[in-house]
Amino acid sequence: MPPHILIVDDEPDLELLIRQKFRHQIRDGKYRFSFAGNGVEALEMLKQENDYDMILTDLNMPEMDGLTLLSNIKFLDGQYKAVVVSAYGDLDNIRNAMNLGAFDFITKPINFSDLEKTIEKTLVEVEVIRKGMQAREQLQKAIHDKEIAEIERQKAEEAKKHERQFLANMSHEIRTPMNAIIGMTKLLMNISTEYRQLKYIKGIKDSAENLLAIINDILDLSKIESGKIKIEHIPFSINDTLELVITTLKHKADEKGLTLSSKIDPSVPSGIKGDPVRLYQVLMNLVGNAIKFTERGHVNINVITAGHSDGQIPIRFDVSDTGIGISEENLSKIFEKFTQASSDTTRKFGGTGLGLTISKQLIEIQKGLITVWSRPGEGSVFSFTIPYLETVETPVEKGTDIPSPNTLNLIKDKRVLIVEDNAFNQIVAVDSIHEIIPDMPLDLAENGRIAVEMHQKNNYDLIIMDIQMPEMDGFQASQKIRKELPSPLSAVPIIAMTASVTREEVEDCFEAGMDEFVAKPFNQAELISKMSRLLLNENPKQNKYEHH
Ligand code: ADP
């Protein structure tokens, strides 16, 4: 639209004159003119439409003069400039008009070529002002957007923090009672002799373990998705990990009459650096699935080196079975969350449909890749490759076997304090230790504060410490022992025992001065072997979670 100019004058001929003088410009769409006979009329027009770019107003008019008009239009929000027409030499009025915001003046009688120059000048000024205002608005908007983004970021961070805390709590809250259930069921199994009782107890134990596995899956997935899983780079033996998988799953294969075999190519080095726990998890899932979905034939694990470059050794694992296979259309879906190939899978085979999602993500955060080949009725091959690092270091001895009777004899009189607030877990811990070392003197403390006091009185040889407890938690108690108690009290070995196994918490344990860590539900052999190592001082404090 051409610039819109409002002429305010009580001189009736002016409209005709202007239309006549500017007829070319009007025809060419350079300007648009509107006319008002006095200030009141002009104000009305300005209020109704705010597309004016310039106002040219006389000063002496009936009803409302030009100065009053100027002082009124200040309250309107149009973006225009006013120019006054004044008698030559009327300096007072010109000054007043300028003070009221007029941009320029022209003198009477109006010279039309002067008027056109003034119009041009004024319109340029209006344009400049508008651009400036636009820029200012944009700037303000940018600042505002940035502030909003910052608030959003803080909110997201806060939410993430809560999520992490929630996960740690959940994992603790769920695993603590599960630990008690599984632990006590195992103890009950050991003392039961009646066949039917044993059968039921075994049922409870198996179901509880299944439930724990599902809970672990869900917690794992949320940990991966919140970016909480960190990958270890420690020396380990693929052979050991594979053996562990086979030992754990062998009975399941045997039950179904399947052969479970594995072959490691000689090109695979005996020690590499990476994350054994994650490899174990992925293999357990793939091999577990292979056994689950195969009725007859075999399940085989094949391990081979897939190239070698820059200190990196990509290792490929093929898990193949002769099972039911997966149809082509389902192949693309099975890695999705909660997805199973057919809707009756859960009914027939159980499972949550999370295993492959977790495996895929675990492989990918190790910079690896997983693929699958399958044909219905023939079987499936899940192949994944993980780039491990070369190393000359020897894998850390896991040593989770129950120590020899000789060793047990050496530690049987050591005095141990168990710090645990949950009464059921106290029983599990005490009975699990007493089952293997019946006479070991064990004391109980139900929180960190009581533990520190008891240790001051009794100078224990070892403390097994829960983390989350009322009054004083395991971190605080350990720090207090290490920093505030005199030697030798301050040097007592401490094993952290907790249901929450996030890496952060493990790190916090070592930071608080603890020497070892067992995750609940704990493995009896692992607990006893760690106790014996610390009691016999065989394991100088080492942080095996350190990054290499
Ligand atoms: P879940 O085993 O808990 O159902 P997964 O994510 O491990 O969940 O597997 C998803 C689905 O992929 C399974 O439900 C099954 O339909 C299919 N699947 C996985 N592995 C195999 C296999 N070896 N043979 C046939 N189908 C399989």
Side-chain angles (χ1 to χ4, degrees), residues 418-461:
I418 298 170
V419 194
E420 164 71 68
D421 62 322
N422 181 296
F424 294 118
N425 284 331
Q426 287 177 356
I427 300 175
V428 173
V430 170
D431 288 5
S432 299
I433 296 172
H434 276 164
E435 209 175 61
I436 294 179
I437 320 172
D439 304 320
M440 183 171 246
L442 300 175
D443 281 349
L444 288 167
E446 63 193 57
N447 65 46
R449 187 183 52 74
I450 298 174
V452 176
E453 280 168 18
M454 287 177 71
H455 180 50
Q456 266 173 311
K457 227 183 288 160
N458 302 328
N459 187 12
Y460 290 101
D461 297 306

Side-chain angles (χ1 to χ4, degrees), residues 285-286 289-290 292-294 321 323-326 334 336 339-342 345 350-357 374 380 382:
N285 179 253
L286 296 184
N289 274 349
K292 188 159 92 173
F293 295 107
T294 303
D321 64 56
I324 59 171
I326 305 159
I334 52 167
E336 285 167 21
T339 305
Q340 301 184 318
S342 74
T345 303
T352 54
L354 283 176
L356 286 178
T357 315
S374 188
S380 314
F382 284 83

Side-chain angles (χ1 to χ4, degrees), residues 479-493:
Q479 271 167 346
K480 213 170 161 75
I481 291 170
R482 292 282 182 257
K483 293 206 178 115
E484 291 175 27
L485 297 194
S487 160
L489 290 178
S490 61
V492 62

Side-chain angles (χ1 to χ4, degrees), residues 182-194 197-206 435:
I182 293 172
M184 276 193 236
T185 323
K186 278 184 188 159
L187 292 169
L188 196 56
M189 236 167 131
N190 294 346
I191 55 165
S192 300
T193 45
E194 214 258 312
Q197 273 185 6
L198 265 175
K199 203 173 99 183
Y200 296 150
I201 298 168
K202 187 173 176 302
I204 298 174
K205 186 179 125 285
D206 289 349
E435 209 175 61

Side-chain angles (χ1 to χ4, degrees), residues 320-540:
S320 50
D321 64 56
T322 53
I324 59 171
I326 305 159
S327 72
E328 203 164 318
E329 68 163 308
N330 285 328
L331 263 185
S332 56
K333 291 192 219 141
I334 52 167
F335 290 106
E336 285 167 21
K337 252 189 269 183
F338 306 112
T339 305
Q340 301 184 318
S342 74
S343 50
D344 63 352
T345 303
T346 310
R347 195 161 38 79
K348 272 198 231 150
F349 303 99
T352 54
L354 283 176
L356 286 178
T357 315
I358 294 174
S359 298
K360 181 170 191 271
Q361 300 203 18
L362 283 177
I363 290 166
E364 285 172 359
I365 49 178
Q366 296 178 82
K367 303 193 171 67
L369 202 76
I370 181 166
T371 55
V372 54
W373 172 95
S374 188
R375 200 164 283 161
E378 281 181 38
S380 314
V381 185
F382 284 83
S383 303
F384 67 96
T385 306
I386 296 178
Y388 286 110
L389 299 174
E390 241 176 338
T391 182
V392 285
E393 290 170 70
T394 40
V396 187
E397 248 308 313
K398 273 210 301 303
T400 50
D401 288 345
I402 292 180
S404 67
N406 240 351
T407 311
L408 294 179
N409 205 32
L410 285 176
I411 62 169
K412 74 175 192 336
D413 297 321
K414 303 274 185 187
R415 285 155 55 254
V416 175
L417 176 65
I418 298 170
V419 194
E420 164 71 68
D421 62 322
N422 181 296
F424 294 118
N425 284 331
Q426 287 177 356
I427 300 175
V428 173
V430 170
D431 288 5
S432 299
I433 296 172
H434 276 164
E435 209 175 61
I436 294 179
I437 320 172
D439 304 320
M440 183 171 246
L442 300 175
D443 281 349
L444 288 167
E446 63 193 57
N447 65 46
R449 187 183 52 74
I450 298 174
V452 176
E453 280 168 18
M454 287 177 71
H455 180 50
Q456 266 173 311
K457 227 183 288 160
N458 302 328
N459 187 12
Y460 290 101
D461 297 306
L462 174 78
I463 298 178
I464 299 172
M465 181 90 79
D466 186 23
I467 297 299
Q468 292 191 11
M469 289 179 293
E471 279 199 62
M472 184 186 283
D473 68 22
F475 298 129
Q476 292 166 322
S478 304
Q479 271 167 346
K480 213 170 161 75
I481 291 170
R482 292 282 182 257
K483 293 206 178 115
E484 291 175 27
L485 297 194
S487 160
L489 290 178
S490 61
V492 62
I494 304 175
I495 299 180
M497 186 167 68
T498 170
S500 155
V501 282
T502 63
R503 191 193 155 85
E504 281 78 1
E505 193 162 90
V506 175
E507 276 167 3
D508 289 345
C509 287
F510 288 117
E511 222 151 77
M514 303 191 200
D515 306 271
E516 261 300 354
F517 182 93
V518 276
K520 288 195 280 193
F522 61 81
N523 172 309
Q524 199 177 25
E526 182 189 352
L527 175 66
I528 305 273
S529 82
K530 285 185 174 166
M531 285 172 64
S532 89
R533 260 187 285 153
L534 286 173
L535 283 168
L536 299 173
N537 200 10
E538 276 173 1
N539 197 8

